[in-house]
Amino acid sequence: MRWWLAMPVAVGISIAGAAADLRIEGAFRWVFAVAYAVGCLAAVLGVSGTGLVATMVEPPVVAVLAVGVGMILSGDASGGSAAALAVGAGVTVLFPLMAGVTGAAVFIGLLRLWRRRPRSVAPAH
């Protein structure tokens, strides 16, 4: 997958999970957590080449976008400063999840970068 497609994939999956969770549970619970993790990790696993570093650090941005759009789609935030405060509160509550997914994305990305590095060849004697 191209680097510019990784972010919309992660955001789209996360928004679907956020909207579903807000409608089902009324709060961000396991549906959003699974969708968010799957979206962000799919992005870091699916991107090729130069976009790998960007996908490693995108989970916090994905969380903010997914929480905001999910709240607007579910009707929990209508607009203005109240919506900004609601999104801020939602992201604050999700900080442990966001930190864990970001750590996993960075770990997987570093493993992929390490496996891609050129191997040195020992000189022949």
Side-chain angles (χ1 to χ4, degrees):
M1 155 177 19
R2 303 255 187 225
W3 65 269
W4 48 267
L5 187 59
M7 180 84 141
V9 166
V11 170
I13 293 171
S14 298
I15 287 173
D21 220 0
L22 285 173
R23 288 197 186 257
I24 295 168
E25 297 283 337
F28 296 109
R29 304 254 193 259
W30 67 273
V31 175
F32 171 71
V34 169
Y36 173 62
V38 165
C40 290
L41 297 180
V44 80
L45 286 169
V47 76
S48 59
T50 59
L52 187 57
V53 174
T55 60
M56 289 166 55
V57 296
E58 81 181 8
V61 176
V62 171
V64 170
L65 290 173
V67 167
V69 173
M71 290 180 117
I72 290 169
L73 289 177
S74 70
D76 285 359
S78 57
S81 61
L85 288 172
V87 170
V91 171
T92 302
V93 169
L94 296 172
F95 183 77
L97 172 66
M98 188 171 41
V101 171
T102 302
V106 168
F107 179 74
I108 291 169
L110 288 174
L111 279 176
R112 289 191 63 208
L113 287 172
W114 179 73
R115 293 194 71 200
R116 256 188 11 187
R117 77 183 195 290
R119 307 274 184 211
S120 62
V121 178
H125 290 239

